[in-house]
Amino acid sequence: MYSKELLKGTISVIILKLLAEHDRMYGYQITRKVIELTENKIQLREGSLYPALHRLKEENLVETETINIGKRVRRYYTLTEKGISVMKEKIAETLDFTRTIERILS
Amino acid sequence: MYSKELLKGTISVIILKLLAEHDRMYGYQITRKVIELTENKIQLREGSLYPALHRLKEENLVETETINIGKRVRRYYTLTEKGISVMKEKIAETLDFTRTIERILS
DNA sequence: TTTGGATACATCATATATCTATGTATCTTT
DNA sequence: AAAGATACATAGATATATGATGTATCCAAA
């Protein structure tokens, strides 16, 4: 589990990347996927995820489709056109950043 | 210039690493060094640096030596024993983090 | 059959770190 | 003499992750 400050600014790009790979995902599924992918190192919390998803929707980077599973609601998220382009930019920026950090620290 | 949120959690480890490499540095010098090392991609501001240095001192990770350059004050920072050990831990954690992010995004 | 754990959404208060702006003052170069 | 660089510092605004809490359903095991 990393110090929480490290995660700042990376949650949104992680979500966008996962959506790009799966074409549609719902919130709870995203939290499970992140935990699985990072072997529990990033425990994306629901208190972090849902506000992040709402922000992405607010910015028109994702759109939603709500379906019913029995009596339960499930909200699927998909990337918009704008979301795809912002995702690419953010990935490039984040990777540039991580490489800069690695260069300084190595 | 990266989105400011990305930098969160990395400023302290960058400072600790620079101090490890130079055995003593003063604040303004650190800002110049970071800008130089990152080719202006990380513009460490004085409003970010000085509070960060004060926090590191509060945690006993660095100690200070104040000297006078003419009539001007210059405050040198050096790593403490504790600072050296925390620096190593933080570097390991940060590099682990950046590699995790790279793996997800690539 | 009931209880616990997993699924699934959400919001609020809190903590914390960074940025911008501002302030003071000295030194150096033009 | 003025402008730009050096050198410290703090205050307020901002953003976002976390922990806590809430509601409710579904399913498997006791």
Side-chain angles (χ1 to χ4, degrees), chain A residues 81-101:
Chain A
E81 282 299 315
K82 187 179 171 197
I84 292 170
S85 116
V86 170
M87 172 207 56
K88 289 176 184 167
E89 284 165 27
K90 274 179 174 275
I91 287 179
E93 184 197 18
T94 306
L95 290 179
D96 189 337
F97 174 73
T98 59
R99 281 167 196 146
T100 298
I101 295 297

Side-chain angles (χ1 to χ4, degrees), chain A residues 56 59-63 78-86:
Chain A
L56 293 175
E59 298 169 77
N60 296 312
L61 305 185
V62 298
E63 54 196 9
T78 50
L79 289 180
T80 60
E81 282 299 315
K82 187 179 171 197
I84 292 170
S85 116
V86 170

Side-chain angles (χ1 to χ4, degrees), chain A residues 5 26-28 46-47 50-51 54 72-75:
Chain A
E5 292 303 328
Y26 56 97
Y28 189 80
E46 283 157 281
Y50 291 114
H54 299 333
R72 214 152 51 175
V73 164
R74 183 181 284 174
R75 210 179 307 285

